[in-house]
Amino acid sequence: ILNFNKLATNDDIQYINFYMLKEGKQIKIFSGSNDNYYIEEKRGSAEYNLIQFPYNDIFAKIIYKNGKEEIINVFIEEKYSNDKVFPEKSINENPELIYNDYSMELNKLKFKLENDYYVKTLSENVKIYFYQDVFELETINATSEIKIYKDLNSNGFIFEKTINGETNIENIIIPGEINCEITACKTIENFCKYLNFLSGKLQNET
């Protein structure tokens, strides 16, 4: 059984896609609206492969009605039927997410506030967004669209590449830092290192 509730957000969500990343392959679990879900495998464990969820990366791609997109990691918690027999004490079982205010640091880094997120134009085809402690770098050309997501609390990146309508998503880890305002950045590796640089700036200033 997979059981979860609506996402708490002030933005109107058009729909959500849920994916499992297994052995480098993106497996679409299902799509739906922002709603309460109770998913139970009634035709065997291969129906949704729920048993694999705790052992693979699960993420949701959220498409908002205003055109904005966001990818978030989904953390799966295993619970068993005998948990009610041997209950564990839990403090603040549903804590409210609290995000740091990086407005001063982002202004120093030449980000501008637009609606409820910050944006910085790195070049004609490259933009960087910051929203709820996540950097999103977006680069678009005539044949492809690339998005790189960097969570301040993570060492890795979610790399999303779309070519001719087909999207591939993978997790990557690229260490090191580069300031793309000093060194020209044209490769994915350099863009990731620039997000490392920006992330370090925010964390060092607070």
Side-chain angles (χ1 to χ4, degrees):
I1 294 172
L2 180 65
N3 189 16
F4 60 93
N5 299 325
K6 291 182 178 180
L7 297 178
T9 173
N10 293 325
D11 295 327
D12 291 331
I13 294 177
Q14 186 170 352
Y15 63 92
I16 306 172
N17 293 331
F18 288 87
Y19 298 91
M20 175 169 61
L21 194 64
K22 183 180 180 182
E23 298 176 353
K25 295 182 180 180
Q26 171 191 330
I27 302 171
K28 189 173 182 178
I29 303 167
F30 69 93
S31 298
S33 58
N34 188 24
D35 206 345
N36 300 327
Y37 283 94
Y38 180 88
I39 299 172
E40 183 176 355
E41 291 180 322
K42 298 180 180 179
R43 295 190 292 270
S45 61
E47 186 175 1
Y48 292 102
N49 288 314
L50 297 183
I51 196 170
Q52 299 184 41
F53 286 11
Y55 312 107
N56 294 279
D57 293 324
I58 307 295
F59 56 92
K61 181 175 182 180
I62 306 170
I63 295 88
Y64 296 92
K65 291 183 178 179
N66 61 9
K68 185 176 66 176
E69 296 182 1
E70 182 181 7
I71 288 183
I72 61 172
N73 289 321
V74 179
F75 299 96
I76 304 297
E77 179 185 3
E78 286 185 299
K79 289 188 176 182
Y80 298 89
S81 57
N82 61 0
D83 284 349
K84 294 180 180 179
V85 181
F86 305 101
E88 295 182 1
K89 292 183 178 179
S90 176
I91 300 175
N92 195 11
E93 191 168 299
N94 294 304
E96 183 178 346
L97 292 176
I98 300 175
Y99 299 100
N100 292 317
D101 181 7
Y102 294 108
S103 55
M104 292 181 61
E105 292 77 15
L106 290 166
N107 286 330
K108 291 179 184 177
L109 293 168
K110 301 176 183 178
F111 280 79
K112 294 182 179 179
L113 182 62
E114 294 184 3
N115 299 321
D116 57 346
Y117 58 91
Y118 288 84
V119 62
K120 178 177 183 176
T121 301
L122 193 60
S123 69
E124 182 180 356
N125 298 324
V126 180
K127 287 188 176 183
I128 304 173
Y129 302 90
F130 185 81
Y131 179 78
Q132 291 187 350
D133 291 4
V134 176
F135 281 109
E136 174 190 342
L137 185 144
E138 180 180 87
T139 173
I140 302 175
N141 58 38
T143 58
S144 66
E145 178 179 353
I146 294 173
K147 295 182 181 181
I148 305 170
Y149 301 89
K150 166 71 174 176
D151 190 322
L152 289 183
N153 301 312
S154 172
N155 293 324
F157 304 85
I158 295 177
F159 173 59
E160 177 183 339
K161 186 173 184 178
T162 303
I163 300 178
N164 297 325
E166 183 175 341
T167 301
N168 290 312
I169 299 177
E170 61 180 316
N171 286 349
I172 56 177
I173 296 178
I174 296 179
E177 297 183 5
I178 285 180
N179 185 350
C180 289
E181 295 185 28
I182 298 175
T183 304
C185 296
K186 296 182 179 180
T187 66
I188 295 302
E189 181 178 357
N190 284 347
F191 287 146
C192 289
K193 289 182 177 181
Y194 185 49
L195 294 186
N196 280 338
F197 169 81
L198 294 174
S199 177
K201 283 292 185 181
L202 293 194
Q203 293 173 335
N204 290 336
E205 290 289 337
T206 54

Short mmCIF file of all heavy atoms in Angstrom, two decimals, residues 21-55:
data_model
loop_
_atom_site.label_atom_id
_atom_site.label_comp_id
_atom_site.label_asym_id
_atom_site.label_seq_id
_atom_site.Cartn_x
_atom_site.Cartn_y
_atom_site.Cartn_z
N LEU A 21 13.64 5.86 -10.11
CA LEU A 21 14.91 5.77 -10.81
C LEU A 21 15.60 4.48 -10.38
O LEU A 21 16.06 4.35 -9.25
CB LEU A 21 15.80 6.97 -10.49
CG LEU A 21 17.00 7.18 -11.41
CD1 LEU A 21 16.56 7.48 -12.83
CD2 LEU A 21 17.88 8.31 -10.89
N LYS A 22 15.63 3.50 -11.27
CA LYS A 22 16.18 2.18 -10.97
C LYS A 22 17.25 1.83 -11.98
O LYS A 22 16.99 1.79 -13.19
CB LYS A 22 15.07 1.12 -10.98
CG LYS A 22 15.57 -0.28 -10.60
CD LYS A 22 14.42 -1.27 -10.62
CE LYS A 22 14.91 -2.67 -10.24
NZ LYS A 22 13.83 -3.66 -10.31
N GLU A 23 18.46 1.58 -11.46
CA GLU A 23 19.60 1.20 -12.31
C GLU A 23 19.79 2.19 -13.45
O GLU A 23 20.06 1.83 -14.59
CB GLU A 23 19.40 -0.22 -12.85
CG GLU A 23 19.35 -1.28 -11.74
CD GLU A 23 19.07 -2.66 -12.29
OE1 GLU A 23 18.79 -2.76 -13.50
OE2 GLU A 23 19.15 -3.63 -11.52
N GLY A 24 19.62 3.48 -13.14
CA GLY A 24 19.82 4.53 -14.12
C GLY A 24 18.68 4.73 -15.08
O GLY A 24 18.74 5.61 -15.95
N LYS A 25 17.62 3.94 -14.95
CA LYS A 25 16.47 4.05 -15.85
C LYS A 25 15.30 4.73 -15.14
O LYS A 25 15.02 4.45 -13.98
CB LYS A 25 16.04 2.68 -16.36
CG LYS A 25 17.09 1.99 -17.24
CD LYS A 25 16.58 0.66 -17.75
CE LYS A 25 17.62 -0.03 -18.63
NZ LYS A 25 17.13 -1.34 -19.12
N GLN A 26 14.63 5.61 -15.86
CA GLN A 26 13.47 6.33 -15.33
C GLN A 26 12.21 5.52 -15.59
O GLN A 26 11.87 5.23 -16.74
CB GLN A 26 13.38 7.69 -16.00
CG GLN A 26 12.12 8.46 -15.71
CD GLN A 26 11.99 9.65 -16.62
OE1 GLN A 26 12.97 10.23 -17.06
NE2 GLN A 26 10.77 10.03 -16.93
N ILE A 27 11.53 5.11 -14.52
CA ILE A 27 10.31 4.32 -14.63
C ILE A 27 9.14 5.17 -14.13
O ILE A 27 9.11 5.56 -12.96
CB ILE A 27 10.41 3.01 -13.83
CG1 ILE A 27 11.60 2.18 -14.32
CG2 ILE A 27 9.11 2.21 -13.95
CD1 ILE A 27 11.90 0.98 -13.45
N LYS A 28 8.19 5.44 -15.00
CA LYS A 28 7.03 6.25 -14.61
C LYS A 28 6.06 5.38 -13.81
O LYS A 28 5.65 4.31 -14.27
CB LYS A 28 6.34 6.81 -15.84
CG LYS A 28 5.26 7.83 -15.53
CD LYS A 28 4.75 8.46 -16.81
CE LYS A 28 3.69 9.50 -16.54
NZ LYS A 28 3.21 10.14 -17.77
N ILE A 29 5.72 5.83 -12.61
CA ILE A 29 4.81 5.08 -11.75
C ILE A 29 3.37 5.41 -12.09
O ILE A 29 2.58 4.52 -12.42
CB ILE A 29 5.11 5.39 -10.27
CG1 ILE A 29 6.57 5.06 -9.94
CG2 ILE A 29 4.18 4.60 -9.36
CD1 ILE A 29 7.04 5.61 -8.62
N PHE A 30 3.02 6.67 -12.04
CA PHE A 30 1.69 7.11 -12.46
C PHE A 30 1.64 8.63 -12.48
O PHE A 30 2.53 9.30 -11.97
CB PHE A 30 0.59 6.54 -11.56
CG PHE A 30 0.58 7.11 -10.17
CD1 PHE A 30 -0.21 8.21 -9.84
CD2 PHE A 30 1.34 6.54 -9.16
CE1 PHE A 30 -0.23 8.73 -8.57
CE2 PHE A 30 1.34 7.06 -7.88
CZ PHE A 30 0.55 8.15 -7.59
N SER A 31 0.61 9.17 -13.09
CA SER A 31 0.37 10.61 -13.12
C SER A 31 -0.99 10.91 -12.49
O SER A 31 -1.88 10.06 -12.50
CB SER A 31 0.38 11.12 -14.57
OG SER A 31 1.63 10.91 -15.17
N GLY A 32 -1.13 12.10 -11.98
CA GLY A 32 -2.42 12.47 -11.40
C GLY A 32 -2.43 13.92 -10.97
O GLY A 32 -1.46 14.66 -11.17
N SER A 33 -3.52 14.33 -10.40
CA SER A 33 -3.66 15.69 -9.89
C SER A 33 -3.16 15.74 -8.46
O SER A 33 -2.76 14.72 -7.88
CB SER A 33 -5.13 16.11 -9.96
OG SER A 33 -5.93 15.22 -9.20
N ASN A 34 -3.15 16.92 -7.89
CA ASN A 34 -2.74 17.08 -6.49
C ASN A 34 -3.90 16.64 -5.60
O ASN A 34 -4.84 17.38 -5.36
CB ASN A 34 -2.36 18.53 -6.21
CG ASN A 34 -1.74 18.70 -4.84
OD1 ASN A 34 -1.20 17.75 -4.28
ND2 ASN A 34 -1.80 19.90 -4.30
N ASP A 35 -3.81 15.42 -5.10
CA ASP A 35 -4.95 14.85 -4.37
C ASP A 35 -4.44 13.86 -3.34
O ASP A 35 -3.25 13.57 -3.25
CB ASP A 35 -5.88 14.14 -5.36
CG ASP A 35 -7.32 14.07 -4.86
OD1 ASP A 35 -7.53 14.32 -3.65
OD2 ASP A 35 -8.21 13.78 -5.67
N ASN A 36 -5.36 13.36 -2.51
CA ASN A 36 -5.02 12.29 -1.57
C ASN A 36 -5.02 10.96 -2.31
O ASN A 36 -5.94 10.68 -3.08
CB ASN A 36 -6.05 12.24 -0.43
CG ASN A 36 -6.10 13.53 0.35
OD1 ASN A 36 -5.11 14.22 0.51
ND2 ASN A 36 -7.28 13.88 0.85
N TYR A 37 -3.98 10.17 -2.10
CA TYR A 37 -3.86 8.90 -2.83
C TYR A 37 -3.76 7.72 -1.87
O TYR A 37 -3.05 7.77 -0.87
CB TYR A 37 -2.64 8.92 -3.75
CG TYR A 37 -2.85 9.72 -5.01
CD1 TYR A 37 -2.48 11.06 -5.07
CD2 TYR A 37 -3.45 9.15 -6.12
CE1 TYR A 37 -2.68 11.80 -6.21
CE2 TYR A 37 -3.65 9.89 -7.28
CZ TYR A 37 -3.28 11.21 -7.32
OH TYR A 37 -3.49 11.94 -8.46
N TYR A 38 -4.48 6.68 -2.20
CA TYR A 38 -4.39 5.41 -1.50
C TYR A 38 -4.26 4.34 -2.58
O TYR A 38 -5.24 4.01 -3.27
CB TYR A 38 -5.62 5.16 -0.63
CG TYR A 38 -5.58 3.84 0.12
CD1 TYR A 38 -4.99 3.76 1.39
CD2 TYR A 38 -6.14 2.69 -0.42
CE1 TYR A 38 -4.95 2.55 2.07
CE2 TYR A 38 -6.10 1.49 0.26
CZ TYR A 38 -5.51 1.43 1.50
OH TYR A 38 -5.47 0.23 2.18
N ILE A 39 -3.04 3.85 -2.77
CA ILE A 39 -2.76 2.91 -3.85
C ILE A 39 -2.47 1.54 -3.25
O ILE A 39 -1.56 1.39 -2.44
CB ILE A 39 -1.56 3.38 -4.69
CG1 ILE A 39 -1.89 4.74 -5.32
CG2 ILE A 39 -1.22 2.36 -5.77
CD1 ILE A 39 -0.73 5.38 -6.01
N GLU A 40 -3.25 0.58 -3.63
CA GLU A 40 -3.09 -0.78 -3.11
C GLU A 40 -2.97 -1.75 -4.28
O GLU A 40 -3.75 -1.70 -5.23
CB GLU A 40 -4.30 -1.16 -2.24
CG GLU A 40 -4.18 -2.53 -1.60
CD GLU A 40 -5.35 -2.82 -0.66
OE1 GLU A 40 -6.18 -1.92 -0.47
OE2 GLU A 40 -5.42 -3.94 -0.15
N GLU A 41 -1.95 -2.59 -4.21
CA GLU A 41 -1.76 -3.59 -5.26
C GLU A 41 -2.74 -4.75 -5.05
O GLU A 41 -2.62 -5.50 -4.09
CB GLU A 41 -0.31 -4.10 -5.26
CG GLU A 41 0.67 -3.04 -5.70
CD GLU A 41 2.10 -3.53 -5.69
OE1 GLU A 41 2.45 -4.30 -4.78
OE2 GLU A 41 2.86 -3.15 -6.57
N LYS A 42 -3.68 -4.84 -5.95
CA LYS A 42 -4.72 -5.88 -5.84
C LYS A 42 -4.49 -7.03 -6.82
O LYS A 42 -5.10 -8.08 -6.71
CB LYS A 42 -6.10 -5.28 -6.07
CG LYS A 42 -6.47 -4.22 -5.03
CD LYS A 42 -7.84 -3.64 -5.30
CE LYS A 42 -8.20 -2.59 -4.26
NZ LYS A 42 -9.53 -1.99 -4.49
N ARG A 43 -3.60 -6.79 -7.80
CA ARG A 43 -3.36 -7.83 -8.81
C ARG A 43 -1.93 -8.35 -8.75
O ARG A 43 -1.37 -8.77 -9.75
CB ARG A 43 -3.65 -7.27 -10.20
CG ARG A 43 -5.12 -6.91 -10.41
CD ARG A 43 -5.42 -6.59 -11.87
NE ARG A 43 -4.76 -5.37 -12.29
CZ ARG A 43 -5.32 -4.17 -12.19
NH1 ARG A 43 -6.54 -4.04 -11.68
NH2 ARG A 43 -4.70 -3.10 -12.59
N GLY A 44 -1.32 -8.31 -7.55
CA GLY A 44 0.04 -8.83 -7.40
C GLY A 44 1.05 -7.71 -7.29
O GLY A 44 0.78 -6.55 -7.60
N SER A 45 2.26 -8.07 -6.84
CA SER A 45 3.27 -7.07 -6.53
C SER A 45 3.84 -6.38 -7.76
O SER A 45 4.53 -5.37 -7.64
CB SER A 45 4.43 -7.73 -5.76
OG SER A 45 5.03 -8.75 -6.54
N ALA A 46 3.59 -6.90 -8.96
CA ALA A 46 4.11 -6.28 -10.17
C ALA A 46 3.21 -5.15 -10.67
O ALA A 46 3.56 -4.47 -11.65
CB ALA A 46 4.27 -7.33 -11.26
N GLU A 47 2.07 -4.92 -10.03
CA GLU A 47 1.12 -3.92 -10.52
C GLU A 47 1.74 -2.53 -10.46
O GLU A 47 1.70 -1.77 -11.43
CB GLU A 47 -0.17 -3.96 -9.70
CG GLU A 47 -1.24 -3.04 -10.24
CD GLU A 47 -2.56 -3.21 -9.49
OE1 GLU A 47 -2.63 -4.02 -8.54
OE2 GLU A 47 -3.51 -2.51 -9.85
N TYR A 48 2.33 -2.16 -9.31
CA TYR A 48 3.03 -0.89 -9.17
C TYR A 48 4.47 -1.07 -8.71
O TYR A 48 5.23 -0.11 -8.65
CB TYR A 48 2.31 0.02 -8.15
CG TYR A 48 0.97 0.52 -8.61
CD1 TYR A 48 -0.20 -0.06 -8.13
CD2 TYR A 48 0.87 1.56 -9.52
CE1 TYR A 48 -1.45 0.40 -8.55
CE2 TYR A 48 -0.37 2.03 -9.93
CZ TYR A 48 -1.52 1.44 -9.45
OH TYR A 48 -2.74 1.90 -9.86
N ASN A 49 4.86 -2.31 -8.35
CA ASN A 49 6.20 -2.57 -7.81
C ASN A 49 6.47 -1.75 -6.55
O ASN A 49 7.57 -1.21 -6.36
CB ASN A 49 7.27 -2.29 -8.86
CG ASN A 49 7.27 -3.33 -9.97
OD1 ASN A 49 7.20 -4.53 -9.70
ND2 ASN A 49 7.34 -2.89 -11.21
N LEU A 50 5.46 -1.66 -5.69
CA LEU A 50 5.61 -0.85 -4.48
C LEU A 50 6.75 -1.34 -3.60
O LEU A 50 7.40 -0.55 -2.91
CB LEU A 50 4.30 -0.88 -3.68
CG LEU A 50 3.06 -0.27 -4.34
CD1 LEU A 50 1.88 -0.31 -3.38
CD2 LEU A 50 3.32 1.15 -4.81
N ILE A 51 7.01 -2.65 -3.62
CA ILE A 51 8.03 -3.21 -2.74
C ILE A 51 9.43 -2.68 -3.08
O ILE A 51 10.34 -2.70 -2.26
CB ILE A 51 8.01 -4.76 -2.79
CG1 ILE A 51 8.77 -5.34 -1.60
CG2 ILE A 51 8.56 -5.27 -4.11
CD1 ILE A 51 8.59 -6.84 -1.45
N GLN A 52 9.58 -2.17 -4.31
CA GLN A 52 10.89 -1.65 -4.73
C GLN A 52 11.11 -0.20 -4.30
O GLN A 52 12.24 0.29 -4.35
CB GLN A 52 11.02 -1.75 -6.25
CG GLN A 52 10.95 -3.16 -6.79
CD GLN A 52 11.19 -3.20 -8.28
OE1 GLN A 52 12.06 -2.50 -8.80
NE2 GLN A 52 10.40 -4.00 -8.99
N PHE A 53 10.05 0.50 -3.91
CA PHE A 53 10.16 1.93 -3.65
C PHE A 53 11.21 2.29 -2.59
O PHE A 53 11.98 3.23 -2.80
CB PHE A 53 8.80 2.50 -3.25
CG PHE A 53 7.83 2.65 -4.40
CD1 PHE A 53 8.10 2.09 -5.63
CD2 PHE A 53 6.66 3.35 -4.25
CE1 PHE A 53 7.22 2.21 -6.69
CE2 PHE A 53 5.76 3.49 -5.30
CZ PHE A 53 6.05 2.92 -6.53
N PRO A 54 11.25 1.61 -1.44
CA PRO A 54 12.22 2.04 -0.42
C PRO A 54 13.67 1.83 -0.84
O PRO A 54 14.57 2.36 -0.20
CB PRO A 54 11.87 1.15 0.79
CG PRO A 54 10.48 0.68 0.53
CD PRO A 54 10.38 0.54 -0.95
N TYR A 55 13.92 1.08 -1.90
CA TYR A 55 15.29 0.73 -2.28
C TYR A 55 15.73 1.45 -3.56
O TYR A 55 16.81 1.17 -4.07
CB TYR A 55 15.40 -0.78 -2.47
CG TYR A 55 14.79 -1.54 -1.31
CD1 TYR A 55 13.58 -2.20 -1.46
CD2 TYR A 55 15.41 -1.55 -0.06
CE1 TYR A 55 13.01 -2.88 -0.39
CE2 TYR A 55 14.84 -2.22 1.01
CZ TYR A 55 13.63 -2.89 0.83
OH TYR A 55 13.07 -3.55 1.89
#
